Amino acid sequence: MVATSATARDGWSSRTAFVLAAIGSAVGLGNLWRFPAEAGQNGGGAFVLFYIICVIFIGLPVLLSETLIGRHGQASAPESMRRMAAESGASARWDFLANIGVLSAFMIVSFYCVVGGWVVYYIYVFGVDLMASGLTGGAFEGRSREEIEAILPGLFGSAQLMLTGHIIFFVVTIFFVMRGVSAGIEWVATWLMPTFFVLLIGITLYGLTTGAGAEAFAYLFTFDFSKLTPQVMLAAVGQAFFSLSLGVAGMITYGSYASRDVNLGYTSGIIAGADTAVALISGLCVFPIVFAAMAAGVGDLSVEAGPGLMFASLPVGFQAMPFGSLIGLAFFIMVGFAALTSSVGLLEVPTSWVIERFGLSRAASTLIVGLSAGALGLLSALSFNELADVRPLGFIPIFAEANIFDALDGVTAKIFMPLGAILTCIFVGWVAEPRLVDAENGLSGTLNQVWRALVRYVCPVVLLVIMGFGLFG
């Protein structure tokens, strides 16, 4: 299908489908491994409270700004920007900010699917272990903690395993994007996201029965405001921004498929609220398992941010649990669902652009974009083994030691994403015709005035600070 006009575009079948798809795009691996560790390391409850405030006053205004641009333009992210700029009497070159988002999404999905490949491998590992140990036993019975923790380094060291997992995950992502908005992306959202929430809540409730629930609550929700330092506040702002997947034109693209009867202010609130809820619940899912394992005598386990928490500490935790293999398998299936809904959203951004820019069919556009991003992802997968010594941005001091994977991550997270969000706020707050913005945002009265003030003044400044600290420390 060639989407050359607003009437020819595929779209969501309902507001519920739009909300589920947007939640799926926002909820990803960052919610499941980054938030719990960030909260624990940065003041616990004080961090959590400030994080929620940041979601409301930073993340939500930017999220609404992106969705209203897309819904107004009813086109790919750059074309939606051009249409809104033209109706506001502004330069069409404002599409530059949307092009940044398209490029960011292309780069991110290339290495995001590498991490998705790790999840695929762990699903396989736990599936094999479940067949060997049965339903009731702990995971990896008879294996030492060191052997379990060595699974991840072993994966990293194998080019064959890294490439296989990446290719499997990318092929699945391409398949659903190729099927279109209603038959593919919406199907993923309406089936996988409810299943994801059922698994998340079920595993969380089971984890709380391990006896470490009180410790996990204390770890995450003890309010010690003396720990709310400027560094902690900056970490909370950054987590709020990145957990909503802002600055990659994803919400502009998803908003472009929304019908005119959708109240964007209301639905944006639901999306931000659900994303925040997943982050909070994920902490209560992860830490009881880890703390129970430590109480059982396995020693201290890492709760630091990054893959070590999910792919090393948690598998050790599952060993100490009844039904550990089954719970571990269910957990990584749940993580796979979250990763897939995000990767589908990321791939749709550049695919939508190619469809409109070159007039190609969705199938052809998806293959061109998907295979190109997948090829870049192959280099990212090999950067853990065969290409470990390659430093593509060695001439830039802040990226001098970054391998291919880390360079892609660093450029998008530290430059493109915050820059795209800053420009979005400037465009919506200062450039776009107010009557167009007011007609799209679903807000009125004082709420609209507060939102406009946040977009104009607060969000750009805070995002500029995030960008500055990311680049200069």
Side-chain angles (χ1 to χ4, degrees):
M1 181 188 70
V2 179
T4 56
S5 68
T7 57
R9 284 173 67 81
D10 196 359
W12 312 118
S13 63
S14 65
R15 189 191 72 176
T16 300
F18 168 49
V19 170
L20 286 173
I23 292 172
S25 180
V27 171
L29 297 173
N31 299 72
L32 297 171
W33 86 36
R34 189 169 188 257
F35 175 83
E38 286 286 314
Q41 292 177 343
N42 291 287
F47 173 93
V48 170
L49 178 61
F50 197 75
Y51 163 77
I52 295 172
I53 292 173
C54 291
V55 169
I56 296 172
F57 292 103
I58 305 298
L60 183 54
V62 179
L63 172 63
L64 177 54
S65 298
E66 290 192 359
T67 53
L68 73 84
I69 292 172
R71 208 268 294 275
H72 181 83
Q74 296 284 291
S76 66
E79 180 59 26
S80 291
M81 285 296 308
R82 283 191 289 268
R83 292 179 181 180
M84 198 165 193
E87 293 184 48
S88 301
S91 171
R93 293 183 179 179
W94 272 100
D95 67 353
F96 170 72
L97 80 86
N99 286 319
I100 293 175
V102 172
L103 179 60
S104 297
F106 176 84
M107 294 170 64
I108 292 171
V109 75
S110 70
F111 68 82
Y112 194 90
C113 286
V114 173
V115 184
W118 307 352
V119 179
V120 170
Y121 179 69
Y122 271 74
I123 291 173
Y124 165 76
V125 168
F126 272 92
V128 171
D129 185 67
L130 178 63
M131 290 188 290
S133 62
L135 293 176
T136 59
F140 309 115
E141 289 186 346
R143 299 173 67 174
S144 68
R145 168 184 169 177
E146 289 73 21
E147 289 177 300
I148 299 172
E149 291 180 334
I151 294 174
L152 185 62
L155 170 62
F156 286 170
S158 171
Q160 181 179 356
L161 290 176
M162 290 288 287
L163 294 177
T164 300
H166 167 67
I167 291 171
I168 291 173
F169 195 84
F170 225 124
V171 167
V172 175
T173 300
I174 289 173
F175 171 77
F176 284 110
V177 175
M178 188 181 294
R179 288 176 58 84
V181 175
S182 57
I185 302 172
E186 181 177 317
W187 188 94
V188 169
T190 54
W191 285 98
L192 296 193
M193 285 314 298
T195 307
F196 165 83
F197 279 107
V198 169
L199 288 172
L200 177 63
I201 293 172
I203 295 172
T204 300
L205 292 176
Y206 182 76
L208 291 173
T209 66
T210 60
E215 186 178 358
F217 269 99
Y219 189 69
L220 286 170
F221 302 118
T222 298
F223 291 89
D224 183 357
F225 289 102
S226 66
K227 296 181 180 180
L228 196 60
T229 64
Q231 290 79 9
V232 169
M233 290 188 284
L234 185 65
V237 174
Q239 177 65 26
F241 171 72
F242 291 112
S243 69
L244 288 169
S245 300
L246 303 174
V248 296
M251 293 304 170
I252 299 179
T253 303
Y254 274 27
S256 73
Y257 299 124
S259 62
R260 295 292 179 186
D261 61 351
V262 173
N263 185 307
L264 294 184
Y266 178 73
T267 54
S268 295
I270 294 176
I271 294 164
D275 182 79
T276 304
V278 169
L280 297 175
I281 296 172
S282 67
L284 297 176
C285 176
V286 168
F287 287 119
I289 297 171
V290 174
F291 291 149
M294 288 192 284
V298 301
D300 291 334
L301 295 175
S302 171
V303 293
E304 295 180 357
L309 174 61
M310 179 180 295
F311 295 100
S313 297
L314 267 178
V316 175
F318 289 130
Q319 185 182 43
M321 297 176 64
F323 306 97
S325 295
L326 177 63
I327 300 300
L329 177 61
F331 177 85
F332 280 100
I333 290 174
M334 175 193 74
V335 174
F337 287 170
L340 180 60
T341 55
S342 293
S343 66
V344 165
L346 288 166
L347 186 59
E348 174 62 17
V349 174
T351 298
S352 174
W353 177 80
V354 170
I355 290 172
E356 291 189 352
R357 178 67 176 80
F358 299 102
L360 300 176
S361 68
R362 171 167 285 273
S365 300
T366 306
L367 284 175
I368 291 171
V369 175
L371 293 178
S372 299
L376 183 59
L378 294 178
L379 299 179
S380 294
L382 293 175
S383 68
F384 290 86
N385 37 75
E386 301 296 331
L387 302 180
D389 296 328
V390 176
R391 300 292 181 265
L393 299 178
F395 57 92
I396 302 176
I398 61 171
F399 300 122
E401 299 301 319
N403 60 21
I404 299 171
F405 181 98
D406 292 332
L408 288 168
D409 184 18
V411 169
T412 52
K414 295 182 178 181
I415 301 176
F416 288 170
M417 291 177 68
L419 179 60
I422 291 168
L423 293 176
T424 297
C425 292
I426 293 173
F427 177 80
V428 172
W430 296 97
V431 177
E433 176 64 39
R435 63 176 178 81
L436 299 179
V437 174
D438 293 344
E440 296 286 354
N441 63 20
L443 305 176
S444 61
T446 303
L447 194 59
N448 186 40
Q449 294 174 0
V450 171
W451 172 78
R452 182 172 287 279
L454 291 172
V455 171
R456 280 188 162 193
Y457 304 107
V458 178
C459 295
V461 173
V462 173
L463 292 171
L464 187 61
V465 172
I466 294 175
M467 186 175 179
F469 270 86
L471 292 174
F472 305 111

